[in-house]
Amino acid sequence: VNLLVTGGVNYTWSPAAGLSCVTCDNPVASPDSSTTYYVTTFDANGCVGIDSIFVEVKLLCGDLYVPTMFSPNGVGPESNNTLKVFCRAECIKKIEFAVYDRWGEKVFESRDVTEGWDGTFRGMPMNPAVFVYFLVVEFEDGSSVVKKGDVTLMR
């Protein structure tokens, strides 16, 4: 979505995640999840203006999103601290989500759509690396999806 603000000379948007520009008057917002963006602007006289806009991301039944990177370090948005399947939970009848390391060992498994992987295995934090996931979802309407891909764990 295009965000537009007028009346200022200098602009600062936050958070930066999902924005095409943090210092312009009309950045494009492409957040992975619903986000409130804040803008601070100064006019030619030095007066300050602050405003916000909420960008809601709605997934339709059948839409699934698995991030390609996450960073379980407790910094930043909570959604970056766990790897999970983003979807409309009320549309899911059954889910199987598993994550494997590069040697094929299963490091995480869940059948709960709300549960995500925190980047640990046997109680210990995993080192940064690329992992693969396998996802099987059966929707309430009887349709199903099988997805696989890779995800990078950053620290």
Side-chain angles (χ1 to χ4, degrees):
V1 65
N2 287 324
L3 306 181
L4 177 63
V5 65
T6 60
V9 176
N10 297 315
Y11 304 93
T12 305
W13 290 88
S14 66
L19 289 179
S20 63
C21 172
V22 295
T23 59
C24 54
D25 60 346
N26 60 344
V28 175
S30 304
D32 291 334
S33 59
S34 297
T35 303
T36 300
Y37 289 104
Y38 299 90
V39 62
T40 303
T41 184
F42 292 90
D43 68 10
N45 298 319
C47 295
V48 65
I50 301 172
D51 206 348
S52 64
I53 185 168
F54 181 70
V55 177
E56 184 175 12
V57 176
K58 290 184 176 181
L59 295 174
L60 303 174
C61 278
D63 285 350
L64 299 170
Y65 174 72
V66 180
T68 57
M69 188 216 105
F70 77 115
S71 182
N73 58 11
V75 176
E78 181 57 34
S79 60
N80 287 348
N81 289 315
T82 56
L83 174 66
K84 64 182 238 176
V85 179
F86 291 91
C87 61
R88 289 186 57 192
E90 65 271 16
C91 299
I92 307 296
K93 182 176 182 180
K94 184 173 151 184
I95 186 168
E96 296 176 26
F97 183 49
V99 180
Y100 300 86
D101 67 14
R102 65 181 173 179
W103 296 281
E105 184 169 13
K106 190 184 298 180
V107 297
F108 174 78
E109 180 177 33
S110 177
R111 286 179 165 69
D112 180 349
V113 70
T114 63
E115 186 179 356
W117 181 42
D118 64 0
T120 63
F121 181 56
R122 296 183 180 149
M124 299 296 295
M126 298 289 291
N127 289 325
V130 176
F131 295 82
V132 295
Y133 70 84
F134 187 71
L135 173 65
V136 179
V137 175
E138 183 181 337
F139 295 99
E140 288 293 338
D141 68 3
S143 64
S144 61
V145 171
V146 176
K147 284 183 80 166
K148 56 186 174 180
D150 58 78
V151 60
T152 302
L153 182 150
M154 303 290 294
R155 295 267 180 207

